[in-house]
Amino acid sequence: MDERNLAGVKNLDVIDYLQSRRSLSVKYMDDVAPSDDEIETLLKTAARVPDHGKLFPWYFIVFKGSARAEVGTILREAYRHEDPDASAAKLDLEADRFMRAPLVVMVVSRMRHGKHPLWEQFLSAGALCQNMSIAANALGYGSNWLTEWYSYSPVFRDQLGLDARDNIAGVFYIGKPSAQPDGRDRPDLAKIVTHWHEGVTLNKGDAAYDQDKYDLPAAKIFGVGDD
Ligand SMILES: Cc1cc2nc3c(=O)[nH]c(=O)nc-3n(C[C@H](O)[C@H](O)[C@H](O)COP(=O)(O)O)c2cc1C
């Protein structure tokens, strides 16, 4: 157990790092994978995350080397169910999804029996995912947190061995950058922050950020008892 406790220790490098963080598209990844030691560091760092009740409500599936091609059999089959008319070329493309980076790590949120709300278990998985992104960057790699269609494919989930307690929180594509990404808009704090006082109207960001052409998205959660 690492007993060091850095709560309250100032480190502005971390602030700077977080403020300049960016995802790296799989288009810009070289084929240089982290070493086994680096992968161990990555997973250990990701797993050091707030977790109400010490439930460890998540686990990892690591795809490296030939495993990335092997999982293509499942991806192909799953995509055939998504689109029975898919051409052979399209099926080949989908089967190769995990080949886009030298390392692919799937984070699965697993619902635990416990008194703490499931919502908090999901949040812990999200926090773990963010730790994973930052740790990959800090080790000198780019990473891209994706879910894509297969995370919601019943065939893909089944064939991989997931069950009704599992949700894919993220699939991390990790590799050395071959180029740096452009900037991206970040939220305007004035639209989403409220300094509360009695009677204040909350800044919920709706006017600026709701995309009115869509309905509110449905939660895609495969709860116990659902199919
Ligand atoms: C849960 C989750 C799933 C995501 N899935 C996708 C995805 O399937 N495809 C995609 O283009 N971006 C996806 N993203 C967004 C990217 O990870 C990334 O945040 C985005 O490209 C913006 O880049 P930035 O991280 O530099 O802000 C997802 C993000 C989250 C949090």
Side-chain angles (χ1 to χ4, degrees), residues 50-86:
D51 164 17
H52 199 174
K54 284 185 264 186
L55 296 173
F56 309 106
W58 18 255
Y59 62 94
F60 301 101
I61 308 176
V62 178
F63 301 86
K64 60 177 184 177
S66 58
R68 296 169 305 145
E70 275 169 47
V71 74
T73 314
I74 302 180
L75 284 164
R76 182 186 296 276
E77 180 64 15
Y79 197 77
R80 220 196 306 273
H81 279 77
E82 296 287 309
D83 178 6
D85 300 325

PDB file of all heavy atoms in Angstrom, residues 50-86:
ATOM      1  N   PRO A  50     -11.146   7.962  -6.221  1.00  0.00           N
ATOM      2  CA  PRO A  50     -12.187   7.945  -5.194  1.00  0.00           C
ATOM      3  C   PRO A  50     -13.216   6.834  -5.447  1.00  0.00           C
ATOM      4  O   PRO A  50     -13.608   6.601  -6.595  1.00  0.00           O
ATOM      5  CB  PRO A  50     -12.824   9.338  -5.336  1.00  0.00           C
ATOM      6  CG  PRO A  50     -11.722  10.197  -5.878  1.00  0.00           C
ATOM      7  CD  PRO A  50     -10.980   9.303  -6.829  1.00  0.00           C
ATOM      8  N   ASP A  51     -13.617   6.175  -4.392  1.00  0.00           N
ATOM      9  CA  ASP A  51     -14.442   4.965  -4.520  1.00  0.00           C
ATOM     10  C   ASP A  51     -15.222   4.821  -3.219  1.00  0.00           C
ATOM     11  O   ASP A  51     -14.680   4.328  -2.228  1.00  0.00           O
ATOM     12  CB  ASP A  51     -13.491   3.780  -4.783  1.00  0.00           C
ATOM     13  CG  ASP A  51     -14.136   2.428  -4.564  1.00  0.00           C
ATOM     14  OD1 ASP A  51     -15.377   2.344  -4.526  1.00  0.00           O
ATOM     15  OD2 ASP A  51     -13.385   1.442  -4.417  1.00  0.00           O
ATOM     16  N   HIS A  52     -16.469   5.253  -3.234  1.00  0.00           N
ATOM     17  CA  HIS A  52     -17.282   5.258  -2.003  1.00  0.00           C
ATOM     18  C   HIS A  52     -17.528   3.828  -1.521  1.00  0.00           C
ATOM     19  O   HIS A  52     -18.199   3.054  -2.207  1.00  0.00           O
ATOM     20  CB  HIS A  52     -18.614   5.966  -2.286  1.00  0.00           C
ATOM     21  CG  HIS A  52     -19.337   6.429  -1.072  1.00  0.00           C
ATOM     22  ND1 HIS A  52     -20.477   7.192  -1.134  1.00  0.00           N
ATOM     23  CD2 HIS A  52     -19.075   6.244   0.250  1.00  0.00           C
ATOM     24  CE1 HIS A  52     -20.901   7.452   0.095  1.00  0.00           C
ATOM     25  NE2 HIS A  52     -20.062   6.889   0.952  1.00  0.00           N
ATOM     26  N   GLY A  53     -16.985   3.506  -0.371  1.00  0.00           N
ATOM     27  CA  GLY A  53     -17.243   2.197   0.228  1.00  0.00           C
ATOM     28  C   GLY A  53     -16.243   1.120  -0.160  1.00  0.00           C
ATOM     29  O   GLY A  53     -16.457  -0.055   0.140  1.00  0.00           O
ATOM     30  N   LYS A  54     -15.157   1.511  -0.846  1.00  0.00           N
ATOM     31  CA  LYS A  54     -14.137   0.522  -1.261  1.00  0.00           C
ATOM     32  C   LYS A  54     -14.769  -0.684  -1.957  1.00  0.00           C
ATOM     33  O   LYS A  54     -14.523  -1.833  -1.607  1.00  0.00           O
ATOM     34  CB  LYS A  54     -13.299   0.057  -0.056  1.00  0.00           C
ATOM     35  CG  LYS A  54     -12.274   1.104   0.363  1.00  0.00           C
ATOM     36  CD  LYS A  54     -11.381   0.603   1.473  1.00  0.00           C
ATOM     37  CE  LYS A  54     -11.916   1.064   2.809  1.00  0.00           C
ATOM     38  NZ  LYS A  54     -11.081   0.757   3.953  1.00  0.00           N
ATOM     39  N   LEU A  55     -15.585  -0.396  -2.931  1.00  0.00           N
ATOM     40  CA  LEU A  55     -16.267  -1.483  -3.654  1.00  0.00           C
ATOM     41  C   LEU A  55     -15.480  -1.928  -4.881  1.00  0.00           C
ATOM     42  O   LEU A  55     -15.787  -2.966  -5.469  1.00  0.00           O
ATOM     43  CB  LEU A  55     -17.665  -1.006  -4.097  1.00  0.00           C
ATOM     44  CG  LEU A  55     -18.627  -0.667  -2.958  1.00  0.00           C
ATOM     45  CD1 LEU A  55     -19.915  -0.030  -3.507  1.00  0.00           C
ATOM     46  CD2 LEU A  55     -18.964  -1.912  -2.153  1.00  0.00           C
ATOM     47  N   PHE A  56     -14.515  -1.093  -5.302  1.00  0.00           N
ATOM     48  CA  PHE A  56     -13.780  -1.381  -6.544  1.00  0.00           C
ATOM     49  C   PHE A  56     -14.761  -1.752  -7.665  1.00  0.00           C
ATOM     50  O   PHE A  56     -14.687  -2.856  -8.227  1.00  0.00           O
ATOM     51  CB  PHE A  56     -12.717  -2.478  -6.325  1.00  0.00           C
ATOM     52  CG  PHE A  56     -11.823  -2.179  -5.154  1.00  0.00           C
ATOM     53  CD1 PHE A  56     -11.962  -2.876  -3.953  1.00  0.00           C
ATOM     54  CD2 PHE A  56     -10.881  -1.181  -5.228  1.00  0.00           C
ATOM     55  CE1 PHE A  56     -11.157  -2.573  -2.859  1.00  0.00           C
ATOM     56  CE2 PHE A  56     -10.072  -0.870  -4.133  1.00  0.00           C
ATOM     57  CZ  PHE A  56     -10.211  -1.568  -2.947  1.00  0.00           C
ATOM     58  N   PRO A  57     -15.663  -0.805  -7.999  1.00  0.00           N
ATOM     59  CA  PRO A  57     -16.750  -1.154  -8.934  1.00  0.00           C
ATOM     60  C   PRO A  57     -16.341  -0.981 -10.398  1.00  0.00           C
ATOM     61  O   PRO A  57     -17.055  -0.351 -11.182  1.00  0.00           O
ATOM     62  CB  PRO A  57     -17.845  -0.150  -8.555  1.00  0.00           C
ATOM     63  CG  PRO A  57     -17.082   1.065  -8.128  1.00  0.00           C
ATOM     64  CD  PRO A  57     -15.794   0.567  -7.502  1.00  0.00           C
ATOM     65  N   TRP A  58     -15.212  -1.571 -10.762  1.00  0.00           N
ATOM     66  CA  TRP A  58     -14.694  -1.450 -12.125  1.00  0.00           C
ATOM     67  C   TRP A  58     -13.580  -2.467 -12.314  1.00  0.00           C
ATOM     68  O   TRP A  58     -13.008  -2.969 -11.339  1.00  0.00           O
ATOM     69  CB  TRP A  58     -14.138  -0.045 -12.400  1.00  0.00           C
ATOM     70  CG  TRP A  58     -13.811   0.800 -11.195  1.00  0.00           C
ATOM     71  CD1 TRP A  58     -14.542   1.859 -10.723  1.00  0.00           C
ATOM     72  CD2 TRP A  58     -12.694   0.666 -10.288  1.00  0.00           C
ATOM     73  NE1 TRP A  58     -13.947   2.387  -9.587  1.00  0.00           N
ATOM     74  CE2 TRP A  58     -12.812   1.674  -9.304  1.00  0.00           C
ATOM     75  CE3 TRP A  58     -11.622  -0.208 -10.191  1.00  0.00           C
ATOM     76  CZ2 TRP A  58     -11.911   1.837  -8.246  1.00  0.00           C
ATOM     77  CZ3 TRP A  58     -10.711  -0.049  -9.153  1.00  0.00           C
ATOM     78  CH2 TRP A  58     -10.859   0.967  -8.205  1.00  0.00           C
ATOM     79  N   TYR A  59     -13.312  -2.797 -13.553  1.00  0.00           N
ATOM     80  CA  TYR A  59     -12.158  -3.656 -13.871  1.00  0.00           C
ATOM     81  C   TYR A  59     -11.663  -3.316 -15.273  1.00  0.00           C
ATOM     82  O   TYR A  59     -12.321  -2.582 -16.018  1.00  0.00           O
ATOM     83  CB  TYR A  59     -12.506  -5.142 -13.722  1.00  0.00           C
ATOM     84  CG  TYR A  59     -13.588  -5.679 -14.623  1.00  0.00           C
ATOM     85  CD1 TYR A  59     -13.293  -6.275 -15.838  1.00  0.00           C
ATOM     86  CD2 TYR A  59     -14.936  -5.599 -14.255  1.00  0.00           C
ATOM     87  CE1 TYR A  59     -14.287  -6.788 -16.665  1.00  0.00           C
ATOM     88  CE2 TYR A  59     -15.940  -6.105 -15.071  1.00  0.00           C
ATOM     89  CZ  TYR A  59     -15.606  -6.701 -16.267  1.00  0.00           C
ATOM     90  OH  TYR A  59     -16.593  -7.194 -17.089  1.00  0.00           O
ATOM     91  N   PHE A  60     -10.468  -3.842 -15.588  1.00  0.00           N
ATOM     92  CA  PHE A  60      -9.809  -3.523 -16.865  1.00  0.00           C
ATOM     93  C   PHE A  60      -9.747  -4.757 -17.763  1.00  0.00           C
ATOM     94  O   PHE A  60      -9.571  -5.874 -17.271  1.00  0.00           O
ATOM     95  CB  PHE A  60      -8.341  -3.123 -16.635  1.00  0.00           C
ATOM     96  CG  PHE A  60      -8.132  -1.941 -15.730  1.00  0.00           C
ATOM     97  CD1 PHE A  60      -7.749  -2.120 -14.402  1.00  0.00           C
ATOM     98  CD2 PHE A  60      -8.274  -0.642 -16.202  1.00  0.00           C
ATOM     99  CE1 PHE A  60      -7.528  -1.032 -13.568  1.00  0.00           C
ATOM    100  CE2 PHE A  60      -8.051   0.455 -15.372  1.00  0.00           C
ATOM    101  CZ  PHE A  60      -7.675   0.255 -14.052  1.00  0.00           C
ATOM    102  N   ILE A  61      -9.822  -4.541 -19.056  1.00  0.00           N
ATOM    103  CA  ILE A  61      -9.460  -5.587 -20.032  1.00  0.00           C
ATOM    104  C   ILE A  61      -8.405  -4.971 -20.948  1.00  0.00           C
ATOM    105  O   ILE A  61      -8.646  -3.921 -21.557  1.00  0.00           O
ATOM    106  CB  ILE A  61     -10.666  -6.071 -20.856  1.00  0.00           C
ATOM    107  CG1 ILE A  61     -11.836  -6.469 -19.940  1.00  0.00           C
ATOM    108  CG2 ILE A  61     -10.263  -7.250 -21.743  1.00  0.00           C
ATOM    109  CD1 ILE A  61     -13.111  -6.870 -20.680  1.00  0.00           C
ATOM    110  N   VAL A  62      -7.239  -5.613 -21.004  1.00  0.00           N
ATOM    111  CA  VAL A  62      -6.101  -5.065 -21.754  1.00  0.00           C
ATOM    112  C   VAL A  62      -5.962  -5.816 -23.077  1.00  0.00           C
ATOM    113  O   VAL A  62      -5.937  -7.061 -23.092  1.00  0.00           O
ATOM    114  CB  VAL A  62      -4.803  -5.213 -20.924  1.00  0.00           C
ATOM    115  CG1 VAL A  62      -3.596  -4.700 -21.710  1.00  0.00           C
ATOM    116  CG2 VAL A  62      -4.926  -4.475 -19.595  1.00  0.00           C
ATOM    117  N   PHE A  63      -5.874  -5.077 -24.155  1.00  0.00           N
ATOM    118  CA  PHE A  63      -5.668  -5.661 -25.482  1.00  0.00           C
ATOM    119  C   PHE A  63      -4.331  -5.150 -25.999  1.00  0.00           C
ATOM    120  O   PHE A  63      -4.182  -3.945 -26.257  1.00  0.00           O
ATOM    121  CB  PHE A  63      -6.765  -5.220 -26.453  1.00  0.00           C
ATOM    122  CG  PHE A  63      -8.160  -5.591 -26.010  1.00  0.00           C
ATOM    123  CD1 PHE A  63      -8.877  -4.766 -25.151  1.00  0.00           C
ATOM    124  CD2 PHE A  63      -8.763  -6.756 -26.452  1.00  0.00           C
ATOM    125  CE1 PHE A  63     -10.159  -5.099 -24.740  1.00  0.00           C
ATOM    126  CE2 PHE A  63     -10.048  -7.101 -26.051  1.00  0.00           C
ATOM    127  CZ  PHE A  63     -10.749  -6.265 -25.190  1.00  0.00           C
ATOM    128  N   LYS A  64      -3.372  -6.050 -26.114  1.00  0.00           N
ATOM    129  CA  LYS A  64      -2.105  -5.614 -26.697  1.00  0.00           C
ATOM    130  C   LYS A  64      -1.615  -6.703 -27.641  1.00  0.00           C
ATOM    131  O   LYS A  64      -2.071  -7.847 -27.574  1.00  0.00           O
ATOM    132  CB  LYS A  64      -1.074  -5.291 -25.612  1.00  0.00           C
ATOM    133  CG  LYS A  64      -0.743  -6.443 -24.727  1.00  0.00           C
ATOM    134  CD  LYS A  64       0.336  -6.081 -23.711  1.00  0.00           C
ATOM    135  CE  LYS A  64       0.656  -7.339 -22.929  1.00  0.00           C
ATOM    136  NZ  LYS A  64       1.703  -7.234 -21.969  1.00  0.00           N
ATOM    137  N   GLY A  65      -0.689  -6.327 -28.504  1.00  0.00           N
ATOM    138  CA  GLY A  65      -0.143  -7.286 -29.466  1.00  0.00           C
ATOM    139  C   GLY A  65      -1.248  -7.940 -30.279  1.00  0.00           C
ATOM    140  O   GLY A  65      -2.183  -7.285 -30.745  1.00  0.00           O
ATOM    141  N   SER A  66      -1.175  -9.281 -30.398  1.00  0.00           N
ATOM    142  CA  SER A  66      -2.097  -9.986 -31.284  1.00  0.00           C
ATOM    143  C   SER A  66      -3.538 -10.006 -30.751  1.00  0.00           C
ATOM    144  O   SER A  66      -4.479 -10.266 -31.504  1.00  0.00           O
ATOM    145  CB  SER A  66      -1.605 -11.427 -31.498  1.00  0.00           C
ATOM    146  OG  SER A  66      -1.506 -12.052 -30.239  1.00  0.00           O
ATOM    147  N   ALA A  67      -3.713  -9.719 -29.453  1.00  0.00           N
ATOM    148  CA  ALA A  67      -5.080  -9.706 -28.896  1.00  0.00           C
ATOM    149  C   ALA A  67      -5.950  -8.674 -29.610  1.00  0.00           C
ATOM    150  O   ALA A  67      -7.171  -8.832 -29.720  1.00  0.00           O
ATOM    151  CB  ALA A  67      -5.033  -9.400 -27.400  1.00  0.00           C
ATOM    152  N   ARG A  68      -5.326  -7.609 -30.120  1.00  0.00           N
ATOM    153  CA  ARG A  68      -6.093  -6.542 -30.789  1.00  0.00           C
ATOM    154  C   ARG A  68      -6.707  -7.053 -32.102  1.00  0.00           C
ATOM    155  O   ARG A  68      -7.775  -6.636 -32.503  1.00  0.00           O
ATOM    156  CB  ARG A  68      -5.189  -5.342 -31.093  1.00  0.00           C
ATOM    157  CG  ARG A  68      -4.643  -4.668 -29.839  1.00  0.00           C
ATOM    158  CD  ARG A  68      -3.554  -3.681 -30.213  1.00  0.00           C
ATOM    159  NE  ARG A  68      -2.522  -4.339 -30.993  1.00  0.00           N
ATOM    160  CZ  ARG A  68      -1.829  -3.785 -31.983  1.00  0.00           C
ATOM    161  NH1 ARG A  68      -2.050  -2.541 -32.321  1.00  0.00           N
ATOM    162  NH2 ARG A  68      -0.919  -4.466 -32.640  1.00  0.00           N
ATOM    163  N   ALA A  69      -5.970  -7.968 -32.746  1.00  0.00           N
ATOM    164  CA  ALA A  69      -6.507  -8.549 -33.980  1.00  0.00           C
ATOM    165  C   ALA A  69      -7.512  -9.649 -33.650  1.00  0.00           C
ATOM    166  O   ALA A  69      -8.547  -9.789 -34.305  1.00  0.00           O
ATOM    167  CB  ALA A  69      -5.365  -9.098 -34.831  1.00  0.00           C
ATOM    168  N   GLU A  70      -7.203 -10.426 -32.592  1.00  0.00           N
ATOM    169  CA  GLU A  70      -8.093 -11.546 -32.225  1.00  0.00           C
ATOM    170  C   GLU A  70      -9.499 -11.060 -31.891  1.00  0.00           C
ATOM    171  O   GLU A  70     -10.487 -11.708 -32.244  1.00  0.00           O
ATOM    172  CB  GLU A  70      -7.539 -12.282 -31.005  1.00  0.00           C
ATOM    173  CG  GLU A  70      -6.507 -13.329 -31.352  1.00  0.00           C
ATOM    174  CD  GLU A  70      -5.803 -13.827 -30.102  1.00  0.00           C
ATOM    175  OE1 GLU A  70      -6.487 -14.143 -29.109  1.00  0.00           O
ATOM    176  OE2 GLU A  70      -4.554 -13.872 -30.131  1.00  0.00           O
ATOM    177  N   VAL A  71      -9.588  -9.923 -31.204  1.00  0.00           N
ATOM    178  CA  VAL A  71     -10.915  -9.438 -30.815  1.00  0.00           C
ATOM    179  C   VAL A  71     -11.709  -9.005 -32.050  1.00  0.00           C
ATOM    180  O   VAL A  71     -12.936  -8.838 -32.008  1.00  0.00           O
ATOM    181  CB  VAL A  71     -10.801  -8.301 -29.752  1.00  0.00           C
ATOM    182  CG1 VAL A  71     -10.333  -6.994 -30.379  1.00  0.00           C
ATOM    183  CG2 VAL A  71     -12.111  -8.099 -29.009  1.00  0.00           C
ATOM    184  N   GLY A  72     -11.008  -8.895 -33.178  1.00  0.00           N
ATOM    185  CA  GLY A  72     -11.656  -8.540 -34.434  1.00  0.00           C
ATOM    186  C   GLY A  72     -12.732  -9.533 -34.843  1.00  0.00           C
ATOM    187  O   GLY A  72     -13.713  -9.160 -35.494  1.00  0.00           O
ATOM    188  N   THR A  73     -12.567 -10.790 -34.459  1.00  0.00           N
ATOM    189  CA  THR A  73     -13.592 -11.798 -34.783  1.00  0.00           C
ATOM    190  C   THR A  73     -14.921 -11.418 -34.128  1.00  0.00           C
ATOM    191  O   THR A  73     -15.996 -11.517 -34.733  1.00  0.00           O
ATOM    192  CB  THR A  73     -13.150 -13.187 -34.256  1.00  0.00           C
ATOM    193  OG1 THR A  73     -11.792 -13.377 -34.614  1.00  0.00           O
ATOM    194  CG2 THR A  73     -14.013 -14.301 -34.786  1.00  0.00           C
ATOM    195  N   ILE A  74     -14.817 -10.974 -32.884  1.00  0.00           N
ATOM    196  CA  ILE A  74     -16.036 -10.577 -32.144  1.00  0.00           C
ATOM    197  C   ILE A  74     -16.606  -9.276 -32.718  1.00  0.00           C
ATOM    198  O   ILE A  74     -17.816  -9.138 -32.902  1.00  0.00           O
ATOM    199  CB  ILE A  74     -15.726 -10.413 -30.636  1.00  0.00           C
ATOM    200  CG1 ILE A  74     -15.159 -11.711 -30.065  1.00  0.00           C
ATOM    201  CG2 ILE A  74     -16.963  -9.982 -29.875  1.00  0.00           C
ATOM    202  CD1 ILE A  74     -14.831 -11.637 -28.574  1.00  0.00           C
ATOM    203  N   LEU A  75     -15.705  -8.336 -33.010  1.00  0.00           N
ATOM    204  CA  LEU A  75     -16.172  -7.060 -33.584  1.00  0.00           C
ATOM    205  C   LEU A  75     -16.900  -7.288 -34.908  1.00  0.00           C
ATOM    206  O   LEU A  75     -17.949  -6.703 -35.180  1.00  0.00           O
ATOM    207  CB  LEU A  75     -14.975  -6.119 -33.808  1.00  0.00           C
ATOM    208  CG  LEU A  75     -14.401  -5.454 -32.560  1.00  0.00           C
ATOM    209  CD1 LEU A  75     -13.017  -4.867 -32.830  1.00  0.00           C
ATOM    210  CD2 LEU A  75     -15.339  -4.356 -32.054  1.00  0.00           C
ATOM    211  N   ARG A  76     -16.340  -8.171 -35.719  1.00  0.00           N
ATOM    212  CA  ARG A  76     -16.940  -8.452 -37.035  1.00  0.00           C
ATOM    213  C   ARG A  76     -18.348  -9.020 -36.871  1.00  0.00           C
ATOM    214  O   ARG A  76     -19.309  -8.565 -37.486  1.00  0.00           O
ATOM    215  CB  ARG A  76     -16.041  -9.450 -37.779  1.00  0.00           C
ATOM    216  CG  ARG A  76     -16.498  -9.797 -39.185  1.00  0.00           C
ATOM    217  CD  ARG A  76     -15.604 -10.897 -39.763  1.00  0.00           C
ATOM    218  NE  ARG A  76     -14.227 -10.455 -39.915  1.00  0.00           N
ATOM    219  CZ  ARG A  76     -13.748  -9.775 -40.966  1.00  0.00           C
ATOM    220  NH1 ARG A  76     -14.546  -9.492 -41.972  1.00  0.00           N
ATOM    221  NH2 ARG A  76     -12.485  -9.396 -41.022  1.00  0.00           N
ATOM    222  N   GLU A  77     -18.437 -10.016 -35.990  1.00  0.00           N
ATOM    223  CA  GLU A  77     -19.731 -10.665 -35.739  1.00  0.00           C
ATOM    224  C   GLU A  77     -20.742  -9.664 -35.179  1.00  0.00           C
ATOM    225  O   GLU A  77     -21.907  -9.617 -35.599  1.00  0.00           O
ATOM    226  CB  GLU A  77     -19.491 -11.815 -34.741  1.00  0.00           C
ATOM    227  CG  GLU A  77     -20.695 -12.626 -34.340  1.00  0.00           C
ATOM    228  CD  GLU A  77     -21.306 -13.373 -35.518  1.00  0.00           C
ATOM    229  OE1 GLU A  77     -20.641 -13.491 -36.561  1.00  0.00           O
ATOM    230  OE2 GLU A  77     -22.472 -13.804 -35.380  1.00  0.00           O
ATOM    231  N   ALA A  78     -20.258  -8.840 -34.248  1.00  0.00           N
ATOM    232  CA  ALA A  78     -21.146  -7.846 -33.622  1.00  0.00           C
ATOM    233  C   ALA A  78     -21.613  -6.835 -34.667  1.00  0.00           C
ATOM    234  O   ALA A  78     -22.785  -6.442 -34.682  1.00  0.00           O
ATOM    235  CB  ALA A  78     -20.418  -7.129 -32.483  1.00  0.00           C
ATOM    236  N   TYR A  79     -20.712  -6.432 -35.550  1.00  0.00           N
ATOM    237  CA  TYR A  79     -21.111  -5.434 -36.543  1.00  0.00           C
ATOM    238  C   TYR A  79     -22.106  -6.020 -37.537  1.00  0.00           C
ATOM    239  O   TYR A  79     -23.018  -5.335 -37.998  1.00  0.00           O
ATOM    240  CB  TYR A  79     -19.906  -4.818 -37.270  1.00  0.00           C
ATOM    241  CG  TYR A  79     -20.335  -3.541 -37.955  1.00  0.00           C
ATOM    242  CD1 TYR A  79     -20.519  -2.381 -37.219  1.00  0.00           C
ATOM    243  CD2 TYR A  79     -20.654  -3.521 -39.307  1.00  0.00           C
ATOM    244  CE1 TYR A  79     -20.993  -1.217 -37.807  1.00  0.00           C
ATOM    245  CE2 TYR A  79     -21.124  -2.359 -39.911  1.00  0.00           C
ATOM    246  CZ  TYR A  79     -21.292  -1.216 -39.144  1.00  0.00           C
ATOM    247  OH  TYR A  79     -21.777  -0.068 -39.732  1.00  0.00           O
ATOM    248  N   ARG A  80     -21.945  -7.311 -37.823  1.00  0.00           N
ATOM    249  CA  ARG A  80     -22.899  -7.967 -38.731  1.00  0.00           C
ATOM    250  C   ARG A  80     -24.321  -7.883 -38.161  1.00  0.00           C
ATOM    251  O   ARG A  80     -25.288  -7.740 -38.885  1.00  0.00           O
ATOM    252  CB  ARG A  80     -22.499  -9.431 -38.927  1.00  0.00           C
ATOM    253  CG  ARG A  80     -22.676  -9.921 -40.368  1.00  0.00           C
ATOM    254  CD  ARG A  80     -22.642 -11.432 -40.471  1.00  0.00           C
ATOM    255  NE  ARG A  80     -21.455 -12.018 -39.891  1.00  0.00           N
ATOM    256  CZ  ARG A  80     -20.298 -12.186 -40.546  1.00  0.00           C
ATOM    257  NH1 ARG A  80     -20.201 -11.802 -41.793  1.00  0.00           N
ATOM    258  NH2 ARG A  80     -19.270 -12.744 -39.953  1.00  0.00           N
ATOM    259  N   HIS A  81     -24.423  -7.941 -36.821  1.00  0.00           N
ATOM    260  CA  HIS A  81     -25.736  -7.784 -36.191  1.00  0.00           C
ATOM    261  C   HIS A  81     -26.221  -6.335 -36.252  1.00  0.00           C
ATOM    262  O   HIS A  81     -27.417  -6.081 -36.328  1.00  0.00           O
ATOM    263  CB  HIS A  81     -25.702  -8.252 -34.735  1.00  0.00           C
ATOM    264  CG  HIS A  81     -25.831  -9.730 -34.597  1.00  0.00           C
ATOM    265  ND1 HIS A  81     -24.778 -10.590 -34.859  1.00  0.00           N
ATOM    266  CD2 HIS A  81     -26.881 -10.511 -34.252  1.00  0.00           C
ATOM    267  CE1 HIS A  81     -25.174 -11.826 -34.675  1.00  0.00           C
ATOM    268  NE2 HIS A  81     -26.450 -11.812 -34.311  1.00  0.00           N
ATOM    269  N   GLU A  82     -25.286  -5.392 -36.173  1.00  0.00           N
ATOM    270  CA  GLU A  82     -25.669  -3.971 -36.269  1.00  0.00           C
ATOM    271  C   GLU A  82     -26.217  -3.677 -37.658  1.00  0.00           C
ATOM    272  O   GLU A  82     -27.174  -2.934 -37.817  1.00  0.00           O
ATOM    273  CB  GLU A  82     -24.449  -3.056 -36.053  1.00  0.00           C
ATOM    274  CG  GLU A  82     -23.809  -3.131 -34.684  1.00  0.00           C
ATOM    275  CD  GLU A  82     -24.644  -2.469 -33.600  1.00  0.00           C
ATOM    276  OE1 GLU A  82     -25.049  -1.316 -33.808  1.00  0.00           O
ATOM    277  OE2 GLU A  82     -24.891  -3.116 -32.570  1.00  0.00           O
ATOM    278  N   ASP A  83     -25.512  -4.233 -38.672  1.00  0.00           N
ATOM    279  CA  ASP A  83     -25.879  -3.933 -40.061  1.00  0.00           C
ATOM    280  C   ASP A  83     -25.728  -5.193 -40.912  1.00  0.00           C
ATOM    281  O   ASP A  83     -24.649  -5.473 -41.447  1.00  0.00           O
ATOM    282  CB  ASP A  83     -24.967  -2.818 -40.601  1.00  0.00           C
ATOM    283  CG  ASP A  83     -25.274  -2.512 -42.062  1.00  0.00           C
ATOM    284  OD1 ASP A  83     -26.256  -3.066 -42.605  1.00  0.00           O
ATOM    285  OD2 ASP A  83     -24.524  -1.713 -42.657  1.00  0.00           O
ATOM    286  N   PRO A  84     -26.818  -5.948 -41.008  1.00  0.00           N
ATOM    287  CA  PRO A  84     -26.749  -7.224 -41.738  1.00  0.00           C
ATOM    288  C   PRO A  84     -26.352  -7.041 -43.205  1.00  0.00           C
ATOM    289  O   PRO A  84     -25.899  -7.996 -43.844  1.00  0.00           O
ATOM    290  CB  PRO A  84     -28.165  -7.786 -41.625  1.00  0.00           C
ATOM    291  CG  PRO A  84     -28.789  -7.061 -40.485  1.00  0.00           C
ATOM    292  CD  PRO A  84     -28.140  -5.715 -40.409  1.00  0.00           C
ATOM    293  N   ASP A  85     -26.515  -5.820 -43.735  1.00  0.00           N
ATOM    294  CA  ASP A  85     -26.161  -5.574 -45.142  1.00  0.00           C
ATOM    295  C   ASP A  85     -24.739  -5.030 -45.321  1.00  0.00           C
ATOM    296  O   ASP A  85     -24.371  -4.624 -46.433  1.00  0.00           O
ATOM    297  CB  ASP A  85     -27.137  -4.555 -45.761  1.00  0.00           C
ATOM    298  CG  ASP A  85     -28.570  -5.060 -45.714  1.00  0.00           C
ATOM    299  OD1 ASP A  85     -28.746  -6.285 -45.872  1.00  0.00           O
ATOM    300  OD2 ASP A  85     -29.490  -4.241 -45.488  1.00  0.00           O
ATOM    301  N   ALA A  86     -23.975  -4.992 -44.244  1.00  0.00           N
ATOM    302  CA  ALA A  86     -22.634  -4.393 -44.342  1.00  0.00           C
ATOM    303  C   ALA A  86     -21.790  -5.135 -45.376  1.00  0.00           C
ATOM    304  O   ALA A  86     -21.828  -6.371 -45.459  1.00  0.00           O
ATOM    305  CB  ALA A  86     -21.947  -4.445 -42.978  1.00  0.00           C
TER     306      ALA A  86
END
